[in-house]
């Protein structure tokens, strides 16, 4: 009897579940169908696109600190989603999606892609180009049976923007595919989404390019290649000096770093290269370069110290997570342990190839130790966050390492064979325009038709070390007599005040701060004739150190096409526009000395290093107006660094016209007297 009651109770408990499985309720079935239909609905425009579909959808945003009443200065955090889908019949190799931001956006992170312009956080005020990582190519739906993971990429973007009202994130100006041969119409915007369908240009004829397995190598101002040459496990590695190392049961990839200066105006002096290891690696040995700091304790107290318990870390090149790598001095070029590498040991100098091809490349080798779980011969993770800089050189912004096809090298046996690296990555660094008051050189203007010189801008190279309580960092610089440009700023004050009184110009109570630049150039318009004109350029070195192998360049726009000759320097025009004049010191005179004491140090001011030359031009264009600005540079570079220019030109004095007006009564008196004399005679 008890058994029957138990069975009955079980049956009553299972009956509702059985009914639910056999006869689902209409409401549940209806909800399931709606969710499935909603999930399968493609974004607007995707179904009609036969090419490459792209969309950008904005999410919400939140106000950040500090809170300000100035709407345009208020910072907001934002989130957005970008999508790119290959809906055509042709595979898209190395896709590149440009997003034209316009609200001073700073991209903090992005999943599914990286910026080809630099590491995050990246200032995308002028837009940025996203490239796939790890999905660099978009296959077709036909060859993948519609596998969305292979034909599309979603990019989740997080960043900061400035300005705007409300909580909706403003959309960018445009989105487009920038790969060669593709055309994109203006993007359509509706609500918080913009979309575009890009199609192949049928008239575009692509140049025949060698097929590559990975991303094609890109062109930049500075190109860095990171090659893995050898990888060992429980083995040894033969060095180029034919010295072997002991057998150690570890994996040790030998890496080669090659730096190429491919910019006609780029340059580095005493370069410092740094990156960040992301997986606990450290550099065991270096050749062709050295680390600025060696601290074995950093390894001893890390995961590497635990794993390599018997390793002598005092002999390790560097244990830093962010090492600073420097080039070796020239005297170490033949060193058997550290040198004997081609293109190494130039004391950190990288010149343009047209200036000296032997100094346009740098190479060094490194041996990297890894830690678990990367203890196998095929686990390679290049370092991230690359940066490179020098002294009085342009500022470079480096992108992320992109996997490219392996680099080929001549076979060491001397035979006509090619040996390839195990793996290669490329890092592209481009020159950035200096921010206001953050340059490293500046320019002053003067002209034969105006007796006042316009000095460098106030705080042109920053005023971080200046007490701005004693000077005005935002004031306009005072006009000077031209000879005042030859003395340091601290010795110009009296001359500037006297000159202002003589010219009836107001002198502020709080004088302008200095320019604080180590290098300055004076551009002086020397003459202006009907068929030609000339200028005189003077270089000043206000620093303590001399500058070797210097060069400068001036962009004169259309006036540069009339360049004729530079007389005390070596000069040439930079193709393809030929509007930039490149000049450097002649052999034996390419050494710009530093600041020296005057003839009487107790009385005379210090004297800057100085070099000068006259440049002549033809007026073959006919319509040049030299005083109105055609005779002054649009951009000036010194050793690759763009210098800050004055905000106005010397005005052409109306002195000639004024002199005529001033002497007009005397002239009239002479004419009247002459007429009276003639009248008396007749």
């Amino acid at each position: 009897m008890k058994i029957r009651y138990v069975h009955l109770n079980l049956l009553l408990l299972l009956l509702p579940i059985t009914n639910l499985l056999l006869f689902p309720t209409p409401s549940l079935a209806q909800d399931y169908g709606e969710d499935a239909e909603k999930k399968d609905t493609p974004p607007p425009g995707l179904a009609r696109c036969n090419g490459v579909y792209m969309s950008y959808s904005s999410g919400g945003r939140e106000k950040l600190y500090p809170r300000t009443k100035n709407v345009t200065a208020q910072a907001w955090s934002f989130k957005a989603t970008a999508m790119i889908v290959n809906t055509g019949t042709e595979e898209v190799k190395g896709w590149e999606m440009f997003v034209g931001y316009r609200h001073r956006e700073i991209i903090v992170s992005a999943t599914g892609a990286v910026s080809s312009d630099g590491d995050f956080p990246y200032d995308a005020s002028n837009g940025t180009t996203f490239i796939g990582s790890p999905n660099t190519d978009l296959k077709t739906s036909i060859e993948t049976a519609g596998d969305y993971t292979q034909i599309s990429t979603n990019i989740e973007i997080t960043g900061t923007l400035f300005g705007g009202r409300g909580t909706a994130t403003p959309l960018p100006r445009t989105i487009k595919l920038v790969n060669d041969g593709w055309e994109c119409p203006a993007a359509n915007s509706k609500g918080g989404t913009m979309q575009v369908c890009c199609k192949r240009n049928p008239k575009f004829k692509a140049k025949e390019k060698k097929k590559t397995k990975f991303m094609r190598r890109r062109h930049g101002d500075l190109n860095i290649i990171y090659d893995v040459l050898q990888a060992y496990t429980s083995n040894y590695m033969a060095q180029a000096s034919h010295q072997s190392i002991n057998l150690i049961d570890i994996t040790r990839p030998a890496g080669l770093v090659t730096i190429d200066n491919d910019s006609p105006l780029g340059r580095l002096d005493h370069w410092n290269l740094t990156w960040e290891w992301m997986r606990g690696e450290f550099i065991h040995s270096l050749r062709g370069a050295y680390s600025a700091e060696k601290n074995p304790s950093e390894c001893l107290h890390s995961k590497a110290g635990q794993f390599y318990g018997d390793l002598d870390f005092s002999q390790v090149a560097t244990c830093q997570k962010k090492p600073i790598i420097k080039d070796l001095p020239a005297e170490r070029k033949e060193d058997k342990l550290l040198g004997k590498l081609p293109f190494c040991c130039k004391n950190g100098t990288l010149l343009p190839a047209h200036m000296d091809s032997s100094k346009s490349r740098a190479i060094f080798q490194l041996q990297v130790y890894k830690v678990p779980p990367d203890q196998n011969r095929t686990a390679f993770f290049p370092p991230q966050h690359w940066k490179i800089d020098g002294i009085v050189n342009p500022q470079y912004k480096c992108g992320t390492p992109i996997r490219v096809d392996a680099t080929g090298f001549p076979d060491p046996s001397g035979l006509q064979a090619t040996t390839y690296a195990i793996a290669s990555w490329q890092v592209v660094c481009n020159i950035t325009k200096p921010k206001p008051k953050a340059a490293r050189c500046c320019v002053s203007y003067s002209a034969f038709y105006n007796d006042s010189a316009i000095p460098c801008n106030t705080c042109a190279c920053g005023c971080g070390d200046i007490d701005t309580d004693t000077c005005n960092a935002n004031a306009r610089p005072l006009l000077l007599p031209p000879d005042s440009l030859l003395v340091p700023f601290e010795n110009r004050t009296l001359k500037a005040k006297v000159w202002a009184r003589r010219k009836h110009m107001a002198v502020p109570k709080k004088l302008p701060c200095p320019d604080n630049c180590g290098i300055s150039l004076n551009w002086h318009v020397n003459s202006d004739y009907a068929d030609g004109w000339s200028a005189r350029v003077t270089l000043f070195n206000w620093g303590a150190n001399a500058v070797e192998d210097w060069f400068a360049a001036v962009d004169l726009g259309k006036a540069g096409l009339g360049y004729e000759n530079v007389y005390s320097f070596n000069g040439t025009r930079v193709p393809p526009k030929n509007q930039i004049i490149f000049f450097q010191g002649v052999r034996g005179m390419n050494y710009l000395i530093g600041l020296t004491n005057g003839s009487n140090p107790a009385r005379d001011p210090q004297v800057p290093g100085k070099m000068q030359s006259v440049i002549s031009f033809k007026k073959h264009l006919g319509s040049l107006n030299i005083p109105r600005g055609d005779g002054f540079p649009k951009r000036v570079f010194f050793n690759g660094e763009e210098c800050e220019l004055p905000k106005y030109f010397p005005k052409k004095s109306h002195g000639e016209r004024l002199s005529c007006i001033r002497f007009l009564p005397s002239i009239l008196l002479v004419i009247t007297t002459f007429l009276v004399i003639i009248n008396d005679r007749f």
Side-chain angles (χ1 to χ4, degrees), residues 49-54 84-88 175-178 181-185 195-201:
C49 181
N50 182 10
V52 174
Y53 172 84
M54 294 188 297
I84 179 170
V85 185
N86 183 5
T87 59
I175 56 173
K176 59 184 177 180
L177 186 71
V178 294
W182 291 86
E183 292 181 341
C184 302
Q195 57 181 348
V196 66
C197 180
C198 303
K199 296 183 178 180
R200 262 289 188 186
N201 180 2

Side-chain angles (χ1 to χ4, degrees), residues 12 66 75 82 157 185 190 287 293-294 304 308 317 333 348 375 416 420 441 463 542 588 593 648 666:
L12 290 173
I157 304 168
K190 186 176 181 180
R287 187 169 195 161
E293 183 176 326
K294 296 175 65 175
Y308 300 114
K333 186 175 182 180
Q375 287 296 297
Q416 292 185 353
Y420 289 92
C441 55
C463 276
W542 302 98
I593 64 172
Y648 53 99
S666 303

Side-chain angles (χ1 to χ4, degrees), residues 261-368:
N261 181 13
D262 292 331
S263 169
L265 300 179
R267 176 188 178 129
L268 281 167
D269 290 285
H270 305 286
W271 55 258
N272 294 323
L273 177 65
T274 183
W275 59 61
E276 183 177 1
W277 295 113
M278 309 304 290
R279 304 178 68 87
E281 303 97 329
F282 64 92
I283 302 175
H284 181 268
S285 61
L286 279 164
R287 187 169 195 161
Y290 70 100
S291 172
E293 183 176 326
K294 296 175 65 175
N295 187 356
S297 64
E298 293 188 23
C299 278
L300 289 172
H301 297 93
S302 68
K303 189 175 181 180
Q306 299 173 8
F307 185 73
Y308 300 114
D310 297 330
L311 186 63
D312 182 7
F313 286 104
S314 65
Q315 302 302 314
V316 168
T318 177
C319 292
Q320 288 182 298
K321 185 178 181 180
K322 297 180 181 180
I324 300 175
I325 310 300
K326 294 174 173 286
D327 190 18
L328 287 171
E331 56 266 23
R332 292 298 187 98
K333 186 175 182 180
E334 299 301 323
D335 190 296
K336 293 182 179 180
L337 294 178
L338 300 177
K340 285 193 174 293
L341 274 180
F343 302 104
C344 88
C345 316
K346 297 186 290 289
N347 206 25
T349 297
L350 278 174
L351 301 178
H354 66 86
M355 188 174 175
D356 189 342
S357 59
S358 67
K359 293 183 179 181
S360 65
R361 168 176 284 190
I363 286 180
F364 65 90
Q365 290 180 348
L366 68 162
Q367 187 179 18
V368 181

Side-chain angles (χ1 to χ4, degrees), residues 85-99:
V85 185
N86 183 5
T87 59
T89 59
E90 179 184 351
E91 182 179 359
V92 181
K93 288 278 192 181
W95 63 265
E96 301 179 37
M97 180 181 182
F98 176 78
V99 181

Side-chain angles (χ1 to χ4, degrees), residues 12-26:
L12 290 173
L13 288 171
L14 293 173
L15 185 60
I17 301 175
T18 306
N19 290 335
L20 184 63
L21 293 173
L22 295 176
F23 308 103
T25 60

Side-chain angles (χ1 to χ4, degrees), residues 273-530:
L273 177 65
T274 183
W275 59 61
E276 183 177 1
W277 295 113
M278 309 304 290
R279 304 178 68 87
E281 303 97 329
F282 64 92
I283 302 175
H284 181 268
S285 61
L286 279 164
R287 187 169 195 161
Y290 70 100
S291 172
E293 183 176 326
K294 296 175 65 175
N295 187 356
S297 64
E298 293 188 23
C299 278
L300 289 172
H301 297 93
S302 68
K303 189 175 181 180
Q306 299 173 8
F307 185 73
Y308 300 114
D310 297 330
L311 186 63
D312 182 7
F313 286 104
S314 65
Q315 302 302 314
V316 168
T318 177
C319 292
Q320 288 182 298
K321 185 178 181 180
K322 297 180 181 180
I324 300 175
I325 310 300
K326 294 174 173 286
D327 190 18
L328 287 171
E331 56 266 23
R332 292 298 187 98
K333 186 175 182 180
E334 299 301 323
D335 190 296
K336 293 182 179 180
L337 294 178
L338 300 177
K340 285 193 174 293
L341 274 180
F343 302 104
C344 88
C345 316
K346 297 186 290 289
N347 206 25
T349 297
L350 278 174
L351 301 178
H354 66 86
M355 188 174 175
D356 189 342
S357 59
S358 67
K359 293 183 179 181
S360 65
R361 168 176 284 190
I363 286 180
F364 65 90
Q365 290 180 348
L366 68 162
Q367 187 179 18
V368 181
Y369 277 29
K370 303 184 294 182
V371 296
D374 300 330
Q375 287 296 297
N376 62 72
R377 302 183 67 164
T378 58
F380 305 119
F381 299 93
Q384 303 292 319
H385 308 146
W386 292 62
K387 296 178 182 179
I388 190 168
D389 61 7
I391 58 171
V392 196
N393 297 136
Q395 300 290 329
Y396 289 90
K397 182 72 174 180
C398 298
T400 55
I402 302 298
R403 183 76 181 267
V404 294
D405 276 5
T407 304
F409 301 94
D411 192 85
S413 65
L415 299 175
Q416 292 185 353
T418 303
T419 301
Y420 289 92
I422 297 172
S424 299
W425 287 264
Q426 183 188 28
V427 178
V428 175
C429 304
N430 288 312
I431 297 173
T432 61
K433 185 177 178 64
K435 295 180 179 179
K437 299 184 179 182
R440 300 188 189 181
C441 55
C442 63
V443 178
S444 60
Y445 286 157
S446 57
F448 73 93
Y449 51 77
N450 193 311
D451 52 3
S452 292
I454 300 174
C456 289
N457 294 334
T458 303
C459 298
C461 297
C463 276
D465 299 331
I466 297 295
D467 183 7
T468 52
D469 292 335
T470 60
C471 63
N472 190 342
N474 299 311
R476 202 176 192 179
L478 298 178
L479 298 181
L480 299 171
D483 62 331
S484 295
L485 298 175
L486 299 171
V487 297
F489 182 86
E490 56 269 18
N491 300 105
R492 298 178 186 174
T493 304
L494 181 60
K495 289 190 174 186
K497 289 181 177 180
V498 172
W499 188 256
R501 294 192 190 98
R502 184 182 300 177
K503 296 296 179 180
H504 308 288
M505 295 181 293
V507 178
K509 292 182 179 179
K510 198 174 183 180
L511 295 177
C513 294
D515 55 71
N516 296 317
C517 294
I519 297 289
S520 66
L521 292 86
N522 173 248
W523 182 267
H524 177 81
V525 175
N526 209 37
S527 63
D528 184 16
Y529 300 103

